[in-house]
Amino acid sequence: MSREWTLVGATTEYTVGLPEDGGWLELRAWGPHGVSDGPSPVGYVGKAQYMTAGDVAAVEYAPDGVRPFAGPDLVVRPARALSWAFEDASHSGDLLKVDFLDPVSGLRAALHYRLAPDSDVVERWVELTNTGAAPLQLAEAGSGGFCVPTPHGARLTYLSGQWAQEFTPATTELWRGRFEIGSALGVTGHQFSPYLAVQDARDTGQTWGVALAWTGSWRIAAERDAAGLTRVRAGRVAVDGPIALPPGATFVTPVAAGAYSADGVDGLARVWHAYERRLAGDRLTRTRKVIYNSWEATYFDVTAAGQLALAEIAAELGVETFVVDDGWFVGRPDDHGGLGDWTPDPAKFPDGFDTFVGRVRGLGLDFGLWVEPEMVNPRSALYEAHPDWVYQVDGRPRTTIRNQYLLDLGRPDVERFVHSTLDGLLRQYDITYLKWDFNRPRTEPGRPGVPDEELDLDGAHVAALYRILEALRRDHPHVTVEGCAAGGGRVDLAMASRVDVVWPSDNTAPIDRLRIQDGYLRAHAPHLMSSWVTDSTGFFDPRPRSLAFRFVLASAGVLGIGADIRHWSPDERAEAARWVARYKPVRDVVTRGEVHRVGGPDQERCAVQYTLEGRVVVLAWNPGPLDGLDTVPARPVRLPLRGLDPAARYEAGGRTYSGAHLMSVGLPIRWTVGYDADMIEIIPR
Ligand code: GLA
């Protein structure tokens, strides 16, 4: 290597170097502190036969001329077989920038890396500038390739799903070839999370992760070569065709993030959680208020009286924010109309919406509202006025999904409408919580009157979404924003830095939800995880569970209630109030603490341990059958804890233990018919 740069994080380092000919940047080492001090685990010996050196090397960012056979990150037209030469580099603080220039096309690429000293996530993005005289098109413009040594095969862990079944973890082994996940929906999607964990097939301690901060269409592809290197390409996909890069223009790729942990997929989750806490910035330490959401109680049957009846009970239970979901605005008796006309329905709120909000506030509750501002129903005043505002291709039918169209947010007039509508609602009413939904992906890729080659619909939509979210957070800093997309259809690192909480799934049934939350926590942090206690029985696993089970489960992140509490008995309400009161003093530990999963939803032991500054809370569930209820000999479930002082004593559930016992043997729990979940504080004595 002629030059090398090392980025140093909290426990990891990432070293890249420039080969003698300066034709590309390549990875030298990525792992724990000190990993770069020795022969590179991703360097190769021997000759590249029947291919080019760039196809074999651990290239960081490869145009098609550098990696013609193995698969490039960047394809530019008309400049095919693009190659470039090193120009310049600057490394200051936690930021490294390495510039390459192609003298033929004039394309300049600035490869950016950032690794903060208190983080273990390296952020990478590329700025592509057309310094030439001729227009260019980006046929492929990934964010980068992450190289991982996998001498015995690659073990890949990912999260897949569908509506009501998001974040299902799966593992596959890749010997040769390609494994790819992604979305062509113009949105992150329910099908796959932009998250991949890579391990060597035989040694599953060391774990590398790749994730993407992008809310449009995307791809993460892992390719393992004959010499045992797995290269993970991550980035946008140009679903609308090549992206125009006229002379003088700069295109910035989304951030692809790489994480390392020596502690398996769960250790990697802790690295991602810490990173998402950083992304939250100073909004992290705000109290995550207990919400009530009326969706599952009233669906579209919203009336002032009905909502106030719910709000009164919610206030008695200790709820802090009351959120009215879908159905509050004009023309919305069901999901066939109304989207786009964001005016409270006077028939549903006969004394005025202001008065209604005032009454909710008078109960001591904050007030929140559901919106789906990027959408319009054909049956709405907005669509009548602006049929040209929806995505459409001339001469082709427009596809409705859930009876609605998607607005072309990339149009400046649509962006202004969406921003001013939301800004107006927040100014007019006493609102502190906004649930922003998105219930359909994009179908028709077109905008009337604009030639296809000038459009980057995906990029324009996402950029406008980010601008609006950022403006609302700036101008209404007291408002909590919940991100939702028919459940968990829009959860990614870019949203994690722009919303306060996300709705992981519309499935709120106890055992189904336990699985979803367990998968979610592999990639995302609890402070972002909204969860409600509801009456739902289950789509996939309807085995009944207690109210306690539901409360402990919803307490695993940001607690909410979504049941029809008008029908809860006095005993159920009293129990609910006790659970809310137990959650409040530990919610900072749950939403900001380090997470250790114990077992999982398909094992007899299933718990999550949260640790914050020496405070420990364990949430535990019995997802399975009982052990014979004393008719046969059995041993209690044991939940081994982490990070305690082995020599110290701790009190948990009425008795004391040594830290060594709790860590090696584990906290004992004996589940019974009436006892299937618990929230346990581990208190130093
Ligand atoms: C989506 C959301 C739900 C609810 C409904 C309202 O499905 O995920 O939580 O808000 O829309 O129509």
Side-chain angles (χ1 to χ4, degrees):
M1 295 288 149
S2 61
R3 287 179 72 176
E4 267 184 17
W5 300 270
T6 297
L7 294 125
V8 182
T11 69
T12 64
E13 65 187 35
Y14 193 97
T15 299
V16 290
L18 202 63
E20 294 304 330
D21 66 4
W24 60 75
L25 197 64
E26 65 182 60
L27 183 72
R28 261 191 52 72
W30 178 20
H33 283 170
V35 69
S36 315
D37 187 4
S40 168
V42 291
Y44 71 94
V45 290
K47 266 199 253 172
Q49 300 278 15
Y50 214 74
M51 58 178 130
T52 73
D55 288 302
V56 197
V59 179
E60 286 283 293
Y61 195 71
D64 59 346
V66 163
R67 215 164 177 267
F69 307 121
D73 304 296
L74 177 69
V75 178
V76 179
R77 298 201 173 113
R80 307 304 297 273
L82 186 101
S83 59
W84 50 35
F86 170 75
E87 269 230 314
D88 200 8
S90 67
H91 188 185
S92 73
D94 51 13
L95 187 73
L96 168 68
K97 178 171 160 295
V98 185
D99 293 328
F100 291 84
L101 177 70
D102 167 30
V104 180
S105 65
L107 185 76
R108 182 189 300 275
L111 279 52
H112 288 78
Y113 293 80
R114 188 166 50 209
L115 177 55
D118 56 349
S119 174
D120 285 310
V121 173
V122 56
E123 298 172 310
R124 296 178 52 183
W125 70 100
V126 180
E127 290 179 15
L128 298 164
T129 303
N130 183 353
T131 71
L136 297 173
Q137 281 104 39
L138 307 173
E140 276 194 40
S143 297
F146 290 88
C147 296
V148 175
T150 51
H152 307 99
R155 190 178 155 93
L156 307 174
T157 300
Y158 60 101
L159 299 168
S160 71
Q162 57 181 327
W163 177 82
Q165 208 176 21
E166 297 88 337
F167 305 107
T168 308
T171 296
T172 190
E173 266 186 35
L174 180 72
W175 178 245
R176 282 295 300 277
R178 177 186 299 176
F179 170 85
E180 185 169 317
I181 55 175
S183 158
L185 300 159
V187 61
T188 324
H190 297 82
Q191 279 70 16
F192 297 100
S193 292
Y195 156 98
L196 186 71
V198 185
Q199 300 166 316
D200 180 62
R202 280 206 207 150
D203 166 17
T204 51
Q206 296 205 85
T207 308
W208 291 265
V210 176
L212 203 53
W214 181 245
T215 309
S217 299
W218 58 276
R219 167 172 60 205
I220 295 179
E223 286 149 342
R224 186 172 176 278
D225 72 12
L229 181 77
T230 297
R231 187 169 189 274
V232 181
R233 282 195 279 157
R236 287 186 57 178
V237 280
V239 279
D240 305 318
I243 298 167
L245 193 67
T250 296
F251 172 87
V252 184
T253 71
V255 167
Y260 169 81
S261 169
D263 208 6
V265 171
D266 279 6
L268 192 70
R270 286 186 280 280
V271 175
W272 288 126
H273 293 181
Y275 180 64
E276 287 189 334
R277 287 195 288 271
R278 280 177 64 87
L279 294 179
D282 56 12
R283 293 175 75 108
L284 178 70
T285 50
R286 299 175 170 204
T287 301
R288 256 75 191 151
K289 294 196 174 173
V290 177
I291 71 151
Y292 178 85
N293 179 298
S294 62
W295 175 242
E296 291 194 24
T298 57
Y299 292 106
F300 294 100
D301 189 16
V302 173
T303 61
Q307 299 295 307
L308 283 168
L310 289 166
E312 272 169 32
I313 303 164
E316 285 165 18
L317 304 186
V319 164
E320 295 157 295
T321 304
F322 185 82
V323 184
V324 176
D325 209 277
D326 199 350
W328 58 269
F329 45 99
V330 289
R332 193 69 172 166
D334 51 37
D335 64 9
H336 287 263
L339 293 175
D341 301 343
W342 300 105
T343 310
D345 188 340
K348 293 182 172 179
F349 302 97
D351 300 333
F353 200 61
D354 245 340
T355 310
F356 167 71
V357 176
R359 288 185 182 142
V360 174
R361 298 281 292 111
L363 295 167
L365 294 164
D366 286 349
F367 183 71
L369 207 53
W370 176 95
V371 287
E372 199 185 356
E374 294 148 277
M375 302 291 169
V376 65
N377 285 115
R379 203 176 78 198
S380 67
L382 183 72
Y383 187 70
E384 219 164 277
H386 300 287
D388 50 326
W389 278 11
V390 308
Y391 289 109
Q392 55 198 280
V393 173
D394 288 341
R396 300 279 176 207
R398 299 169 196 186
T399 312
T400 52
I401 297 178
R402 208 197 190 202
N403 313 302
Q404 64 201 53
Y405 296 133
L406 179 59
L407 292 173
D408 179 354
L409 197 61
R411 290 174 59 123
D413 46 5
V414 175
E415 180 180 344
R416 271 195 304 276
F417 165 79
V418 170
H419 174 251
S420 65
T421 300
L422 297 175
D423 186 67
L425 284 170
L426 296 180
R427 282 179 204 282
Q428 192 175 350
Y429 303 109
D430 194 356
I431 295 171
T432 59
Y433 193 100
L434 200 63
K435 177 176 169 190
W436 182 321
D437 208 340
F438 182 93
N439 280 310
R440 64 152 293 170
R442 178 161 62 81
T443 39
E444 287 69 41
R447 180 181 300 165
V450 183
D452 282 354
E453 52 281 6
E454 286 173 25
L455 292 172
D456 171 18
L457 297 171
D458 211 15
H461 192 114
V462 172
L465 170 70
Y466 294 166
R467 274 194 299 271
I468 298 168
L469 282 167
E470 284 157 16
L472 293 178
R473 278 165 60 124
R474 183 195 60 222
D475 300 339
H476 306 277
H478 63 291
V479 175
T480 295
V481 180
E482 174 177 2
C484 172
R490 197 151 77 171
V491 184
D492 56 63
L493 292 177
M495 290 305 273
S497 63
R498 292 173 176 88
V499 298
D500 301 289
V501 68
V502 296
W503 179 236
S505 180
D506 281 347
N507 191 340
T508 57
I511 303 237
D512 291 354
R513 187 75 173 199
L514 183 66
R515 294 210 170 93
I516 291 166
Q517 294 190 176
D518 181 67
Y520 168 99
L521 286 174
R522 315 285 166 109
H524 300 292
H527 73 271
L528 284 162
M529 186 171 79
S530 176
S531 192
W532 311 337
V533 174
T534 70
D535 305 315
S536 168
T537 48
F539 304 146
F540 302 101
D541 193 336
R543 280 177 292 155
R545 282 297 182 266
S546 68
L547 193 61
F549 190 105
R550 293 167 186 266
F551 264 100
V552 176
L553 185 57
S555 297
V558 180
L559 174 63
I561 300 176
D564 191 347
I565 47 182
R566 293 172 298 191
H567 298 134
W568 280 8
S569 68
D571 279 355
E572 286 171 323
R573 291 184 196 173
E575 186 184 345
R578 285 197 297 275
W579 281 116
V580 173
R582 282 178 71 176
Y583 173 73
K584 286 178 179 171
V586 300
R587 65 180 148 190
D588 54 333
V589 181
V590 169
T591 56
R592 281 157 44 209
E594 197 174 81
V595 168
H596 291 272
R597 294 170 55 253
V598 184
D602 298 309
Q603 296 176 24
E604 59 162 3
R605 55 180 200 193
C606 176
V608 183
Q609 176 191 344
Y610 302 82
T611 307
L612 179 70
E613 290 153 10
R615 295 169 63 201
V616 179
V617 175
V618 176
L619 305 188
W621 303 271
N622 175 19
L626 297 167
D627 58 14
L629 291 175
D630 295 345
T631 55
V632 294
R635 293 191 170 83
V637 165
R638 290 288 192 154
L639 304 173
L641 306 184
R642 298 269 296 260
L644 306 180
D645 174 356
R649 292 195 68 72
Y650 295 87
E651 189 188 312
R655 63 156 297 171
T656 56
Y657 307 83
S658 71
H661 182 92
L662 289 175
M663 288 196 289
S664 62
V665 183
L667 180 70
I669 297 203
R670 185 172 162 269
W671 300 121
T672 63
V673 172
Y675 177 59
D676 60 5
D678 209 349
M679 175 189 288
I680 303 158
E681 275 188 83
I682 313 293
I683 300 158
R685 279 288 166 242

